Amino acid sequence: MFQKAIVRTPCKAIIKGISEADLGIPVYANALIQHTEYINALKICGLDVTVLEADENFPDSTFVEDAALMTPNCAILTRPGAPSRRNETTAMLPILHDFYDKVEKITAPGTLEAGDIMMVGAHYYIGLSERTNHEGARQMINILEKHKMTGSVINLSEFLHLKTGLGYLENNNLLALGEFLTKKEFAKYNLLKVPIEESYAANSVWINDTVLTPAGFPKTKKLIETAGYKTIAVDVSEFQKLDGGLSCLSLRF
Ligand code: CIR
């Protein structure tokens, strides 16, 4: 179960965030409204939410998930692969120390964004992507092992981040699509196949037996409900314009 979450208010510069989505530029005022609704959903799931101030230096800084990995045993500051996001971690470091005694770091030449990491119990799958390199993954696995956890790598070819196309819902249930449906590493899970036209909804998030899903993806919502979960649909369309999903908007621990 998770107790806490950290989010960061979107900044005005969000309109300059990295995007390959081709869905237009986010409307700042709407992003703020949607972000507030997202926080409310986290609270409904029982989380105590820390809201960090907007950081105008980093257009993508509302996607806090990429800057750190929070585990039950330690927190790890990442080293984002996107150059415009590299120094988001400077502001994140003191926050990690507020919550953890043990804080580790990914260092150069390693790069890693935690959107590439999916937790399944004490094991962490690490996607090798354009943002996360072998060295970043190697360091992460060493850190996890030092703190009595494990990690393994998954090669990505179609997706920005590992969790762009995967969502672990606990109880062996894994939302998946595309290249992940046929990977041997995931064959042991009960794969819930996300329809291709709803691919954005693969990034749904289990929080304490409720699953947050992006609003507007009814087939995936039904798929999750049929698997036995309560769902809360949250409109995050402004963040979708920047390839950001539900998980990217918070650190949950
Ligand atoms: C980026 O390209 O870095 C941001 N526009 C979106 C980050 C999404 N984060 C994630 O999937 N964990």
Side-chain angles (χ1 to χ4, degrees), residues 17-20 60 63 65-66 82 85 88 113-116 131 160-161 163-164 203 239 242-245 247-249:
I18 307 170
S19 178
E20 294 189 358
D60 286 297
F63 302 114
E65 177 181 66
D66 294 316
R85 304 198 59 191
E88 285 179 22
E113 296 184 4
D116 275 320
R131 306 289 183 84
L160 169 63
H161 287 124
K163 281 186 300 207
T164 313
N203 186 263
F239 304 100
L242 297 183
D243 308 309
S247 75
C248 323
L249 289 168

Side-chain angles (χ1 to χ4, degrees), residues 148-217:
K148 309 204 175 334
M149 298 169 285
T150 54
S152 60
V153 296
I154 302 286
N155 286 303
L156 302 196
S157 51
E158 292 169 21
F159 294 102
L160 169 63
H161 287 124
L162 184 70
K163 281 186 300 207
T164 313
L166 277 182
Y168 187 60
L169 306 183
E170 305 295 318
N171 305 315
N172 210 49
N173 291 320
L174 181 61
L175 281 174
L177 83 161
E179 62 187 295
F180 299 124
L181 291 170
T182 50
K183 283 210 187 288
K184 65 177 185 332
E185 292 92 334
F186 300 130
K188 65 181 172 187
Y189 297 107
N190 177 33
L191 294 177
L192 304 176
K193 188 176 173 188
V194 177
I196 192 73
E197 69 277 15
E198 295 202 356
S199 62
Y200 180 68
N203 186 263
S204 291
V205 186
W206 179 95
I207 305 176
N208 302 346
D209 293 334
T210 295
V211 177
L212 303 192
T213 63
F217 299 89

